[in-house]
Every structure is written in structure tokens, then in C-alpha cells.
Amino acid sequence: MATEHVTRFQPCYLLRDSNIPCVIWGEDAVGYYGVPTVVFSFYILVPDIDQAAEVLIQRGWHLEDSAQTKFGNIPLRSAHHHLTPPIDVTQNEPAWSPGMGPPPPPSKKPPGPTTTILLPASEWNFTFPSIIESFFPPLPELLDALIDKLLDGPLTDGIWNQLTVLIAYLYGYVPALKEKSFAEHLKYEHRQYHYDALSGMTTGTVPFILHEREIRDALREGRFQLCDCSADQEDESLFTAKVQARLLALNGPPFSAEEYEAEKKRELEYERSCFD
């Protein structure tokens, strides 16, 4: 597993060797904290995507910004660089077919580097610390940046939906986030988000995001005091359990997490087949 990470994470080592700070983002980042999610392309936050891309290009990587790029399942239209790894001639062996005799044994070679997407850290609300101890962002900084990006971003490009998925995964699988006291590790302006997420409020909806924007802005301006829950629990636009129960009774089960992961796997297999 360690070798697999070295190959998938190879761009981070190349950037570090050139003194360029970087942190791993997206599914790889939440997966590091125990979320059982499928990974797609390899996302990295850097201070300057042009400088980072140049380092990788000098090491044989290929800039392919014309290729379709997604963040999760959502087309990515904001600033980024899309790079593919150097071609490994040892991998260009003909595919096995029945006429070639017995099939070869499974390869023990770890998977090589994959499509890598460089993202500007400032646009993803992440600030690099003075000392970087790991390629993975600390959990509080990861959650702070995801929340901030969600509350800052438009609700028109679809990226907000992917951000809510990543945040929901963290709250669903990381034990530390189930503790109210974790708020002390977050920025003050994001602590009410944490309390509200634990209060039973339905997260990941447009009404929730708009509500949390107002609360965050009020905290910044000193117009709001932290509390266990910032909304009336009878407000069905924010506490949708009863609404969902009524809809479920009428329409059947919604799109499940298992179906979402299956769709991600299908897209990943398609991406790999195109690359191969």
C-alpha cells in the first residue's frame, strides 16, 4: 500500500523536491481520514498552478488542459491544470488474448501515477501553514476549507454539490466530527456550522447553505452568538426528515450512496480505459 501511494502521489514528491508547497485534495484527502470513497483523478492544491505545472512538465508530464476535467462527477470550469503522467514504455505490452496461451499471472506492480489536477489553493480557501508536515491537510484545516468554499461559492456550477458530499462523508465516517468539542479546532466562524450539522439539521441543501452563509456572516460581524442549533427545529426547510418521510412514502427510495459510488466506479473505469 505504501508503494502504491508513492506512485499515485508522485507529483507531490516532485513538487516538494522543487520547494513548492502542496496538499492532497478531494477524495484522496477525505479517504485519508477513513472515508471509504472511490478516488478519481488526483487533486493537489498549490500556491501557483502555473509554476507547479512547469515543474511536472519538466519531469515528463503532459499538460492537457483541453481535456475534460471534473471535480468528482462535476465538470470543473474554474482555474486548474490537467496533467497526465509520463508514458511508461514498459506498460505498452500487448493485451492478453486466448490465442496467446495461458493468461499471465496478475501483475504485482503497483499502479503508476494517474491524471493529476492542480488547483490554486487560494481559490479553494486553503492557507498553507508555515511548516508543512504532511501531504495531507490536517482535519480541521480540511473541514474549514471545504466549509468556506461551500459557503463562498456560487450555487450554479454544481461544485457546491460535490463539496457537500465530501463534507457529509467526513461527518458520516470520522468519529472526531461526531463530537461537539471538535468545534474548538475550527475557525470561529465555522463553529456554528459544526453545531448545526450535529443538531439534526439537514445539510447539503440549498436552504441549509443559504442559512449557514447568513450565520457565518453574522458571526464575522459579531451579530450572532454560538448555540446548539441556529434554527427552529420545526422549520421543515432545514429539518427535512418529516418531508423526506412523506416523499419516500409517495415515491420510493432516492438515489442511494451505493448507487453514487457505483457511478463513480464506472466513470473511473472509463477514464482509465481512455488513458490506457
Side-chain angles (χ1 to χ4, degrees), residues 7 19 261:
T7 54
N19 297 316
E261 289 295 332

Side-chain angles (χ1 to χ4, degrees), residues 169-185:
Y169 275 167
L170 289 172
Y171 274 101
Y173 289 99
V174 181
L177 296 191
K178 301 182 187 299
E179 301 295 331
K180 184 179 178 181
S181 59
F182 187 82
E184 299 172 6
H185 301 287

Side-chain angles (χ1 to χ4, degrees), residues 7-25:
T7 54
R8 180 171 174 82
F9 300 166
Q10 184 192 60
C12 293
Y13 291 94
L14 297 177
L15 294 173
R16 184 182 65 181
D17 290 346
S18 296
N19 297 316
I20 294 180
C22 62
V23 294
I24 294 168
W25 211 241

Side-chain angles (χ1 to χ4, degrees), residues 3-124:
T3 304
E4 178 181 345
H5 283 182
V6 168
T7 54
R8 180 171 174 82
F9 300 166
Q10 184 192 60
C12 293
Y13 291 94
L14 297 177
L15 294 173
R16 184 182 65 181
D17 290 346
S18 296
N19 297 316
I20 294 180
C22 62
V23 294
I24 294 168
W25 211 241
E27 284 88 357
D28 284 279
V30 300
Y32 177 73
Y33 289 102
V35 174
T37 182
V38 173
V39 293
F40 282 116
S41 299
F42 185 47
Y43 303 96
I44 306 176
L45 299 186
V46 293
D48 185 324
I49 61 173
D50 295 333
Q51 182 184 24
E54 184 60 30
V55 167
L56 296 182
I57 291 170
Q58 290 176 358
R59 298 298 294 269
W61 286 66
H62 308 282
L63 184 64
E64 298 187 7
D65 283 349
S66 61
Q68 184 184 53
T69 303
K70 292 184 176 182
F71 184 68
N73 288 329
I74 307 300
L76 182 62
R77 298 184 175 89
S78 59
H80 68 277
H81 281 315
H82 180 127
L83 296 105
T84 55
I87 297 175
D88 184 351
V89 295
T90 65
Q91 300 296 322
N92 294 337
E93 301 174 355
W96 177 83
S97 63
M100 297 171 65
S107 174
K108 295 183 179 180
K109 295 180 180 179
T114 189
T115 299
T116 295
I117 312 300
L118 300 175
L119 302 170
S122 60
E123 292 190 18
W124 291 80

